[in-house]
Amino acid sequence: MEISPRAAELTTLLESRITNFYTNFQVDEIGRVVSVGDGIARVYGLNEIQAGEMVEFASGVKGIALNLENENVGIVVFGSDTAIKEGDLVKRTGSIVDVPAGKAMLGRVVDALGVPIDGRGSLSDHERRRVEVKAPGIIEHLDAATQALLNRGARLTEVSKQPQYAPLPIEKQILVIYAAVNGFCDRMPLEKISQYERAIPSSVKPELLQSLLEKGGLTNERKIEPDAFLRESALPYLDAKN
């Protein structure tokens, strides 16, 4: 069957349009929603998308690409996901998500992207920062005394952990906690705390434990013996660098 010149021309034009369509499809990096729920959309496609990049759904809702997998991309939806349906198109924007920052934000009510929703107009002069930025370290800015207290707190947390079905007797717990509170574990690596905790009850004299339960608490005189015991028993577990 022969094709007329007019039909051949139309065929060529359609092929060109189709080719251009798929070329634009690849350039724009459009994907389709596979599933959506609980504020998370799974999208097929978007092969060149970057982590933290903003995307736009067909409904106009925006989101941020966070979970990049081989089969699909996990998108966190900004706002309600009720307008997003399976099969909807999703388009890259090419920009990493950033939000307003600075004093201009004080006292303002904004949405997830930092757009004011309090009816007080746009934000005054402000800077913008990416949302996917590692928070500055706080610990390194602390003075030595505060850092020491935090370190001791971490060790107190470790000694407070008890076996589920075999907790220590109360007098042994008192001794272990006393050791941590009074700094006998300060120079001890966290991973060795549990070993030290088990060693104390197994090597302490029964009469020393009994003295902890006597009325009047640990006076300065009563502290001499337990302090000497705890100091000596801690030696094998101390960090040699400290």
Side-chain angles (χ1 to χ4, degrees):
M1 178 179 179
E2 294 185 359
I3 301 177
S4 66
R6 178 60 179 169
E9 182 181 349
L10 288 174
T11 300
T12 301
L13 179 61
L14 286 173
E15 288 177 348
S16 175
R17 292 283 179 85
I18 292 172
T19 300
N20 289 336
F21 172 81
Y22 282 105
T23 300
N24 291 334
F25 186 94
Q26 293 174 353
V27 171
D28 291 339
E29 281 294 350
I30 296 174
R32 286 192 179 274
V33 176
V34 177
S35 64
V36 61
D38 298 324
I40 304 293
R42 293 286 177 182
V43 178
Y44 176 80
L46 303 176
N47 296 331
E48 300 298 324
I49 198 166
Q50 306 175 70
E53 183 176 337
M54 185 184 296
V55 300
E56 185 174 355
F57 294 88
S59 61
V61 175
K62 293 182 173 58
I64 179 174
L66 291 183
N67 196 17
L68 309 184
E69 300 179 1
N70 293 331
E71 300 296 329
N72 57 66
V73 178
I75 307 291
V76 176
V77 180
F78 292 136
S80 174
D81 61 11
T82 55
I84 301 173
K85 308 297 181 185
E86 291 183 10
D88 282 357
L89 289 176
V90 188
K91 184 178 179 180
R92 289 183 63 190
T93 64
S95 61
I96 302 299
V97 177
D98 62 3
V99 293
K103 292 183 178 180
M105 300 293 292
L106 294 175
R108 301 302 302 271
V109 180
V110 298
D111 63 13
L113 292 174
V115 179
I117 55 175
D118 54 8
R120 295 168 52 190
S122 59
L123 297 172
S124 57
D125 292 341
H126 62 275
E127 60 178 314
R128 299 189 70 86
R129 294 181 181 176
R130 291 185 176 183
V131 296
E132 284 290 295
V133 175
K134 183 179 179 181
I138 298 176
I139 300 300
E140 60 194 45
H141 300 299
L142 298 177
D143 58 79
T146 305
Q147 182 67 67
L149 286 174
L150 289 174
N151 289 339
R152 185 169 297 180
R155 282 147 182 80
L156 275 168
T157 300
E158 288 298 312
V159 301
S160 65
K161 298 175 182 178
Q162 296 289 315
Q164 184 174 2
Y165 300 111
L168 291 174
I170 185 62
E171 65 273 15
K172 294 184 178 181
Q173 290 186 37
I174 292 174
L175 188 60
V176 169
I177 294 172
Y178 175 86
V181 169
N182 287 276
F184 293 101
C185 305
D186 285 358
R187 296 193 295 119
M188 196 175 296
L190 287 177
E191 62 271 16
K192 292 186 177 181
I193 296 293
S194 60
Q195 301 175 35
Y196 178 54
E197 186 177 6
R198 291 192 297 269
I200 292 176
S202 62
S203 57
V204 66
K205 297 178 180 178
E207 54 269 25
L208 177 56
L209 287 176
Q210 186 59 38
S211 68
L212 298 176
L213 301 177
E214 294 178 1
K215 293 182 180 180
L218 283 174
T219 62
N220 289 335
E221 185 178 351
R222 286 182 178 178
K223 286 181 179 180
I224 296 176
E225 186 177 0
D227 284 6
F229 165 75
L230 292 171
R231 189 176 298 108
E232 182 179 355
S233 59
L235 291 177
Y237 306 97
L238 298 182
D239 189 344
K241 296 179 181 180
N242 296 322

